[in-house]
Amino acid sequence: MDPNGEEYQNLWETKLFFQNEELDCWTLDEAISGYYDSSSPDGAASSAASKNIVSERNRRKRLNERLFALRAVVPNISKMDRASIIKDAINYIQELQEQERGIQAEILELESGRSTGFDVFEQDLPLSVTSMREKTFVVSLTCRKRTDTMVKLCEVFESLRLKIITANVTTVSERVLKTVFIEADEDKDHLKTRIETAIAALNDPLSPM
Amino acid sequence: MDPNGEEYQNLWETKLFFQNEELDCWTLDEAISGYYDSSSPDGAASSAASKNIVSERNRRKRLNERLFALRAVVPNISKMDRASIIKDAINYIQELQEQERGIQAEILELESGRSTGFDVFEQDLPLSVTSMREKTFVVSLTCRKRTDTMVKLCEVFESLRLKIITANVTTVSERVLKTVFIEADEDKDHLKTRIETAIAALNDPLSPM
DNA sequence: TCGCACACGTGAAAC
DNA sequence: TGTTTCACGTGTGCG
């Protein structure tokens, strides 16, 4: 069912080459024939037939070139069959389509995962204020780990005059995560705004990026 | 250069249908011919020629079916030309390949961007053990917020018999972040392995995904 | 009328 | 050996 593909390819290309050679030869012959046609009695019909022949030859040549080009863009071609080339191309296209679907789904999931996951610490404002229960909030913020970063963070929270229940500072991969449990009367958004302004007051060194 | 594609399609399919019809007809005729061959004097040569004819017909039929299938998997086919079908298939394949390259580059960039940030909490093992100072570690892990997730997390850490200095559990957008300050004599990697195995002992419910 | 696209039958070449 | 694949010339139908 599957003879030697290499020889098949060579065979085919040889045939193609032969065909082209013959085509040129025939085209030349064609011109001669047309030359004869003008002087021969039944020149019209012969000329028409010859035109049809050369047109058909060019059409076959174009189709072969197309098929050759199709084989070129499809990887892992084993059999050089005309039908097999098209078959492999179909399989390859379906494979690409399926892969594209999967990859796009993955990219979608990845992006949505960022927005629904823990990316609060990666966004432009890596500050999250969550209401745990009545008057109790959890503040999480991250920033790059620099010199005096922790000190300045503590200064910020001290300056806010908040009732801090407990606070933790964790460093992971050159970043600082500070988690503070706070008891406050104010609104969640108001609290968040206050923290943001306090951090902005220290302008650049605390910029998350 | 581009006549009406619809009519072209109808033309071709009509021709194909005609061909099949004629094929069946000829196949029938063929059988009759074979029947005659057995009684005719030059039956051998005629039979061979007929075999070749029917084989060639089947080959053309297969090739047409392949081409038809190729046209089916390629969207936005305008011209129903044989050559045009292959040409459009080539363009489509190249388009898919280019798109695949771009998407894979994007996905790579997205993943690399995550790996430099805080993605420790988003990877397959969202467990981070950081050495703060001598014998003091900070363990951070995240998982999806489900029923009894916090309880099971606490059970895990209790089962490890660790000296817990302080522990916090924060929930952000349907995820749970647990940060534990631990005092331990063991190695950082050893501690991480122990926690991982303890979590794995609870098998699925704590799986981050 | 001519051009174009196709299917057909046939001989040859490769396996 | 026969089977398979190919290119070729030709006839046909449609625009």
Side-chain angles (χ1 to χ4, degrees):
Chain A
M1 195 81 175
D2 187 2
N4 195 331
E6 273 296 315
E7 295 189 16
Y8 245 95
Q9 174 177 2
N10 292 337
L11 157 69
W12 194 30
E13 290 179 351
T14 302
K15 280 194 175 180
L16 275 178
F17 181 62
F18 240 71
Q19 174 193 6
N20 290 342
E21 215 174 18
E22 287 185 8
L23 192 148
D24 290 338
C25 171
W26 273 98
T27 306
L28 212 67
D29 226 338
E30 200 47 51
I32 299 176
S33 170
Y35 199 53
Y36 277 131
D37 282 337
S38 60
S39 60
S40 64
D42 57 344
S46 174
S47 171
S50 302
K51 284 284 182 185
N52 197 7
I53 288 178
V54 66
S55 292
E56 183 66 14
R57 246 196 297 249
N58 278 22
R59 175 181 166 273
R60 275 197 291 263
K61 182 183 175 184
R62 283 203 312 269
L63 204 142
N64 271 328
E65 288 173 351
R66 290 283 204 284
L67 220 56
F68 193 77
L70 178 63
R71 187 208 61 161
V73 298
V74 177
N76 301 331
I77 292 293
S78 53
K79 301 171 67 176
M80 296 304 299
D81 244 333
R82 281 173 120 94
S84 299
I85 288 179
I86 304 182
K87 181 185 176 184
D88 288 342
I90 294 174
N91 291 336
Y92 182 58
I93 287 182
Q94 289 176 336
E95 187 180 331
L96 277 185
Q97 287 174 340
E98 194 174 352
Q99 182 181 358
E100 183 212 6
R101 256 197 304 272
I103 283 188
Q104 277 192 347
E106 186 179 352
I107 218 174
L108 209 69
E109 185 183 358
L110 215 61
E111 286 180 347
S112 71
R114 293 189 115 229
S115 62
T116 62
F118 230 96
D119 69 323
V120 195
F121 302 101
E122 284 298 315
Q123 286 173 354
D124 288 343
L125 282 179
L127 171 65
S128 137
V129 178
T130 311
S131 174
M132 288 293 278
R133 58 172 182 269
E134 192 79 17
K135 299 182 182 178
T136 303
F137 303 94
V138 182
V139 179
S140 294
L141 68 89
T142 65
C143 59
R144 289 181 51 191
K145 187 201 290 182
R146 303 186 184 184
T147 52
D148 296 335
T149 296
M150 300 189 188
V151 178
K152 291 180 179 176
L153 269 179
C154 293
E155 288 176 356
V156 164
F157 278 87
E158 281 192 31
S159 70
L160 290 174
R161 308 288 175 189
L162 299 166
K163 291 183 183 175
I164 296 179
I165 304 173
T166 178
N168 274 322
V169 178
T170 313
T171 67
V172 176
S173 64
E174 290 304 317
R175 290 189 72 86
V176 177
L177 161 64
K178 177 153 188 168
T179 309
V180 191
F181 283 68
I182 294 174
E183 189 177 334
D185 262 342
E186 53 192 325
D187 183 50
K188 188 186 76 173
D189 295 328
H190 184 250
L191 175 61
K192 184 173 182 179
T193 306
R194 278 183 60 202
I195 299 176
E196 283 174 355
T197 52
I199 291 178
L202 270 71
N203 45 35
D204 52 313
L206 271 175
S207 133
M209 300 310 288
Chain B
M1 195 81 173
D2 187 1
N4 194 330
E6 273 296 315
E7 295 187 17
Y8 247 96
Q9 175 176 3
N10 291 338
L11 157 68
W12 193 34
E13 289 180 352
T14 303
K15 281 194 174 180
L16 274 179
F17 181 62
F18 241 71
Q19 174 195 7
N20 289 343
E21 216 174 17
E22 288 185 7
L23 192 149
D24 290 340
C25 172
W26 272 98
T27 304
L28 214 65
D29 227 337
E30 200 49 48
I32 299 176
S33 170
Y35 199 54
Y36 277 131
D37 282 336
S38 61
S39 59
S40 63
D42 56 346
S46 175
S47 172
S50 302
K51 286 280 183 185
N52 196 6
I53 289 179
V54 65
S55 292
E56 181 68 14
R57 251 196 296 247
N58 277 23
R59 174 181 167 274
R60 274 197 291 263
K61 183 184 175 184
R62 284 203 313 268
L63 204 142
N64 270 328
E65 287 172 352
R66 290 282 203 284
L67 220 56
F68 193 77
L70 179 63
R71 187 207 60 161
V73 298
V74 177
N76 302 328
I77 292 292
S78 53
K79 301 171 65 178
M80 296 306 299
D81 243 335
R82 280 173 120 93
S84 299
I85 288 179
I86 303 182
K87 181 184 176 183
D88 289 342
I90 294 174
N91 291 336
Y92 182 59
I93 286 181
Q94 288 176 337
E95 187 181 332
L96 278 185
Q97 286 175 341
E98 193 174 352
Q99 183 181 359
E100 182 211 6
R101 257 196 301 274
I103 284 187
Q104 277 193 346
E106 185 179 352
I107 218 173
L108 210 69
E109 183 182 359
L110 214 61
E111 285 181 347
S112 72
R114 300 177 109 232
S115 68
T116 59
F118 228 96
D119 70 320
V120 195
F121 301 102
E122 286 297 315
Q123 283 174 353
D124 287 344
L125 282 178
L127 171 65
S128 134
V129 178
T130 310
S131 173
M132 288 293 278
R133 60 173 181 272
E134 192 78 17
K135 299 183 182 180
T136 304
F137 303 94
V138 182
V139 178
S140 294
L141 68 89
T142 65
C143 60
R144 289 182 51 193
K145 188 200 289 182
R146 305 186 184 183
T147 51
D148 295 334
T149 297
M150 299 188 190
V151 179
K152 289 180 179 176
L153 270 179
C154 293
E155 288 176 356
V156 164
F157 278 88
E158 281 192 30
S159 71
L160 289 175
R161 307 287 175 190
L162 299 167
K163 293 184 182 176
I164 295 179
I165 304 173
T166 177
N168 275 323
V169 178
T170 313
T171 67
V172 176
S173 64
E174 289 304 320
R175 288 190 75 85
V176 177
L177 162 63
K178 177 152 187 168
T179 308
V180 190
F181 284 68
I182 294 174
E183 189 177 334
D185 259 343
E186 52 193 328
D187 182 50
K188 187 187 76 173
D189 296 328
H190 185 249
L191 177 61
K192 184 173 181 178
T193 306
R194 278 183 62 201
I195 300 176
E196 285 173 354
T197 53
I199 291 179
L202 269 72
N203 44 34
D204 49 314
L206 270 175
S207 130
M209 301 307 290

